[in-house]
Amino acid sequence: GGGGGEGDGGVDGLDEGRLFVRNLPYSSSEPELQELFGAFGRVDELLLPLDAETRRAKGFAHVTFSICEHAVRAMSELDGSTFQGRILHVMPGRARARPAAEAGGAAGGG
């Protein structure tokens, strides 16, 4: 069973206002990104993974807007734009993976 799939807003593949941002400068910080994306609407969550050894950004981030349309606007305006000398790639983020969703399969036997 289980349905789901297309929402009725017709928003291009955006799930709950989540964005995935690539090609960030390694020097970028959360407050800078908060400011950049916050210009388009309220940011609920911003994840900027850091490299464990260098303590610098890994060059990508996940941004979640409270309102889907804000995410769409941010994506269309920021994708391909220059941020601190780098050309940003902004794409729809994936919904949080449900644990063990992909791990399903045959229960071993034999």
Side-chain angles (χ1 to χ4, degrees), residues 1 16 25 58 90 102 109:
E16 304 166 23
K58 287 187 174 184
V90 185
E102 301 165 301

Side-chain angles (χ1 to χ4, degrees), residues 6 8-9 31 34 36 43 48 53 55 59 63 68 73 75 79-80 82 88 90 93 110:
E6 279 35 273
D8 7 278
Q34 191 82 40
L36 181 71
V43 173
L48 181 66
E53 290 177 23
R55 307 302 300 157
V63 183
C68 211
R73 212 171 97 226
M75 180 168 67
D79 186 38
T82 307
L88 294 184
V90 185

Side-chain angles (χ1 to χ4, degrees), residues 37-61:
F37 287 92
F40 298 93
R42 201 180 109 210
V43 173
D44 269 357
E45 186 179 38
L46 194 147
L47 295 175
L48 181 66
L50 297 182
D51 185 286
E53 290 177 23
T54 64
R55 307 302 300 157
R56 294 170 69 129
K58 287 187 174 184
F60 62 90

Side-chain angles (χ1 to χ4, degrees), residues 78-103:
L78 293 176
D79 186 38
S81 72
T82 307
F83 175 65
Q84 296 182 359
R86 306 283 296 261
I87 292 175
L88 294 184
H89 299 288
V90 185
M91 56 211 73
R94 295 227 180 86
R96 283 220 178 82
R98 280 184 223 119
E102 301 165 301

Side-chain angles (χ1 to χ4, degrees), residues 5-16:
E6 279 35 273
D8 7 278
V11 172
D12 275 358
L14 262 174
D15 187 73
E16 304 166 23

